[in-house]
Amino acid sequence: MSVLHPDLLTADATGALPVRVVGKDAALSGAEAAWAAANDFTGKAGQLLLLPGADGALTGALFGAGDRFEPLAARALSVKLPAGLWRLEGVEGEAASQAALAFALGAYRFDRYKTRPAPGARLAVPGVDVQPLLDIAAACALTREMVDTPAADMGPLQIETIAREIAAAGGATISVVTGDALLEENYPSVHAVGRAAAPHRAPRVIEIGWNLDKTDLPLVALVGKGVVFDTGGLDLKPAAGMRNMKKDMGGSAHVLGLGRLVMQARLPVRLVVLVAAVENAVSGDAFRPGDILQTRKGLTVEVGNTDAEGRLILADVLTRAAEHSPDLTLDFATLTGAARMALGPELPPLYTDDEALAADMLSAAAAVSDPLWRMPLWPGYRPALEAEIADLRNDPAAWAQAGSVTAALFLQKFAPGTGAWAHLDIFAWNPRARPDWTEGGEAQGLRAAFEMMRRRFAA
């Protein structure tokens, strides 16, 4: 996987051109004022004006802040500024750090299949420790690149390879259970969902452990859905619904990126990262509507729809997470279209029955501009999960509404009973390109979760 340019952010401003942040209708003088007027630059939020010298060479730039500078707006600078080294002027302290991180987040480009990726701008932020910012940006870039990579090149084996690289770099242990061994090791739902795939894309459960010998530390479990491609199974999706299903492994990408970040930051926790990596394929061996699946927890599930497979594989790995008696469990999953209907592509739902965790997650999300919205685990909808001939059903067909809520309630049945648990029903995708956001894979809730953990465990 590619990494961000190591000098994308630097504390050394030697030779850097200035980017001066100016407010709306800020007073400019002389040639600068005339140049701004000629180019209709008024300091509106996001406006950029390059400043040429007498010889035509650039001497700097002006960046509009509008009524109030929002550090996240600096995402656009990595795209709008010409290649070279730049430095922000008029922004200091924490705002400068946040702007630098925003710049690094905006620098992501999925260029794996490009023949000549263009060099980009770099940013100097004197007095700022840039390495933690680069680590956060790199975690988001890894997540986005995994999501952006076509399914042919991002199968269960490739996810395992990335997980092994992360474990090796962090000094963590890793174990992988693959194919029919999933039945021997009691991951029956993961096996059922993934068994229809070709042998070289066999399903697997990946488990990373870090700091596990330090039993005095709290244990954090990160659980990710890794459906590398979702055809819908025998309940086949239409073409339009299948087009972007390479992103259905977005939950696994999030927990791998977040897990790497936790290890790089040396947070004082024990860490377990669990990923169920499968392809929901169509073949003679595919699981069927009406099948009764066993789960690791011992509960049986009647399959109402094979396109509701994510909750089935998460059931097994959430149960495995519970066996570690975690103090905190977070699961990330591109689980339901209903979440998009409720909140759209930019605002992921957050589900938890723990008030303190909800408050901490939402506070952290606001602080780092990584939005989340709490949704209810409404107990009145629990009957939707009941089945006539099994303990549960995976598709509450009689409850066409509240699909994201009922999916979360299903996961709650398997969530650890120790500590606090939260479920993030992410989209992991930008459906439209903007100057500061490329179309394609996106990290959602990752920075919020890391900030929450940093505040809880490193304060």
Side-chain angles (χ1 to χ4, degrees):
M1 306 301 289
S2 66
V3 295
L4 296 175
H5 192 291
D7 295 325
L8 179 65
L9 301 178
T10 177
D12 183 3
T14 304
L17 292 174
V19 182
R20 193 164 82 251
V21 176
V22 297
K24 187 176 180 181
D25 298 322
L28 304 175
S29 60
E32 197 174 79
W35 182 247
N39 288 275
D40 197 27
F41 179 85
T42 62
K44 290 190 297 185
Q47 276 190 309
L48 180 72
L49 179 65
L50 300 177
L51 302 174
D55 60 356
L58 291 177
T59 61
L62 302 177
F63 185 56
D67 295 324
R68 179 176 177 272
F69 177 64
E70 296 290 346
L72 196 63
R75 283 184 71 132
L77 285 175
S78 60
V79 180
K80 294 182 176 182
L81 286 172
L85 183 62
W86 299 82
R87 71 176 188 273
L88 277 179
E89 288 188 349
V91 181
E92 298 178 349
E94 181 60 24
S97 293
Q98 292 185 25
L101 175 57
F103 179 92
L105 293 171
Y108 169 80
R109 291 295 176 273
F110 183 59
D111 55 20
R112 176 171 176 172
Y113 302 97
K114 293 281 189 181
T115 54
R116 290 194 303 272
R122 297 180 295 123
L123 188 68
V125 277
V128 172
D129 183 3
V130 300
Q131 191 56 54
L133 305 179
L134 285 170
D135 289 343
I136 294 171
C140 293
L142 170 64
T143 298
R144 297 172 73 182
E145 186 169 13
M146 289 180 69
V147 173
D148 277 327
T149 301
D153 295 329
M154 186 55 64
L157 176 60
Q158 286 74 29
I159 291 178
E160 176 188 332
T161 300
I162 293 166
R164 290 188 180 279
E165 292 172 352
I166 289 171
T173 61
I174 185 169
S175 62
V176 181
V177 182
T178 306
D180 289 343
L182 290 165
L183 295 175
E184 300 168 13
E185 297 297 328
N186 195 24
Y187 294 103
S189 286
V190 177
H191 181 270
V193 173
R195 72 191 184 208
H200 69 285
R201 296 171 72 83
R204 63 205 67 201
V205 169
I206 303 162
E207 180 170 336
I208 296 173
W210 180 72
N211 264 0
L212 296 185
D213 59 328
K214 299 179 180 179
T215 55
D216 58 323
L217 297 178
L219 191 142
V220 174
L222 303 177
V223 178
K225 172 189 170 184
V227 178
V228 297
F229 194 82
D230 183 16
T231 64
L234 293 179
D235 288 310
L236 198 68
K237 291 179 182 288
M242 209 184 298
R243 173 62 180 85
N244 288 327
M245 279 299 101
K246 66 178 184 178
K247 78 176 186 66
D248 212 21
M249 39 62 66
S252 66
H254 277 71
V255 298
L256 288 173
L258 180 55
R260 186 177 75 171
L261 189 54
V262 168
M263 288 186 276
Q264 288 174 328
R266 311 300 296 178
L267 289 187
V269 299
R270 291 174 290 154
L271 179 68
V272 171
V273 180
L274 282 156
V275 167
V278 305
E279 180 165 18
N280 189 16
V282 178
S283 79
D285 199 27
F287 76 118
R288 295 163 290 268
D291 282 355
I292 306 295
L293 302 188
Q294 300 291 328
T295 67
R296 186 179 183 89
K297 190 171 182 176
L299 296 174
T300 56
V301 181
E302 182 181 9
V303 178
N305 192 312
T306 62
D307 196 20
E309 83 297 333
R311 66 201 70 184
L312 298 173
I313 64 172
L314 285 171
D316 276 358
V317 283
L318 279 169
T319 301
R320 172 57 184 157
E323 293 163 11
H324 289 279
S325 299
D327 299 281
L328 172 66
T329 303
L330 302 178
D331 79 67
F332 288 76
T334 51
L335 203 61
T336 69
R340 312 291 80 79
M341 295 298 292
L343 297 176
E346 298 176 18
L347 188 58
L350 166 71
Y351 291 93
T352 180
D353 56 0
D354 188 284
E355 296 300 323
L357 179 57
D360 288 352
M361 282 291 288
L362 295 177
S363 174
V368 298
S369 300
D370 190 15
L372 298 170
W373 192 267
R374 189 181 183 187
M375 293 278 279
L377 288 161
W378 184 248
Y381 295 156
R382 285 181 184 145
L385 305 177
E386 296 173 357
E388 290 295 327
I389 59 173
D391 296 317
L392 299 167
R393 60 179 300 154
N394 78 322
D395 177 37
W399 296 70
Q401 299 171 328
S404 180
V405 178
T406 53
L409 288 168
F410 183 96
L411 296 184
Q412 190 181 30
K413 293 279 189 179
F414 300 90
T418 60
W421 161 75
H423 160 59
L424 287 82
D425 190 345
I426 57 174
F427 193 40
W429 193 259
N430 288 317
R432 62 185 179 91
R434 291 162 281 171
D436 46 353
W437 266 276
T438 59
E439 180 182 350
E442 184 55 272
Q444 295 181 316
L446 189 158
R447 292 184 292 113
F450 178 68
E451 176 66 10
M452 178 273 293
M453 285 190 279
R454 189 189 65 79
R455 293 180 179 188
R456 278 196 167 198
F457 303 122

